[in-house]
Amino acid sequence: MSSPEIASLSWGQMKVKGCSTTYKDCKVWPGGSRTWDWRETGTNHSPGVQPADLEEVVKKGVQTVVIGRGMSEALQVPPSTVDYLKKNGIDVLVLQTEKAVAEYNALAAQGVKVGGVFHSTC
């Protein structure tokens, strides 16, 4: 199963190819995507992305996770989250969201089993 292309990104809106839903924040993995609802894990801009936000994506057997920190990079990614991914043998890229989407799409196009979590506003 391949990772779906992120078809479009603008402030507060993301579309994943093959999915009719428009996301504000989203999670993607080989074969799927869904809304990333921060309330599920109590996520806020600080301290930011928690390992619990990534567990679902990790369980999909990804080789690489791309984290989009927002258009202005307001979303933090603590070292403990990066360590969690590395301990699971997963490469991690933490980037501004537009750059993160470009990198994610490039990896997906190369056939890498890539997943991601993306914040589309601040």
Side-chain angles (χ1 to χ4, degrees):
M1 235 181 287
S2 60
S3 299
E5 176 189 342
I6 296 172
S8 67
L9 167 68
S10 59
W11 184 274
Q13 294 190 328
M14 296 182 70
K15 294 206 63 76
V16 174
K17 195 171 185 176
C19 179
S20 60
T21 306
T22 299
Y23 301 114
K24 177 177 170 255
D25 299 319
C26 77
K27 295 182 180 191
V28 289
W29 58 82
S33 65
R34 78 171 182 93
T35 293
W36 177 18
D37 183 348
W38 291 16
R39 292 172 297 192
E40 292 173 0
T41 55
T43 295
N44 285 298
H45 287 100
S46 181
V49 184
Q50 305 301 303
D53 293 310
L54 299 167
E55 282 174 5
E56 178 179 17
V57 175
V58 167
K59 288 177 183 168
K60 304 292 183 181
V62 296
Q63 299 164 285
T64 303
V65 168
V66 181
I67 300 172
R69 293 189 49 210
M71 299 302 210
S72 305
E73 297 185 85
L75 180 61
Q76 301 300 304
V77 181
S80 58
T81 298
V82 174
D83 291 345
Y84 163 77
L85 292 166
K86 290 184 175 174
K87 283 178 184 156
N88 279 283
I90 296 168
D91 293 328
V92 59
L93 297 165
V94 178
L95 300 164
Q96 185 268 356
T97 296
E98 289 160 310
K99 292 176 182 156
V101 166
E103 192 64 35
Y104 167 89
N105 280 340
L107 290 167
Q110 293 166 27
V112 174
K113 290 182 79 170
V114 61
V117 295
F118 301 97
H119 179 44
S120 74
T121 57
C122 46

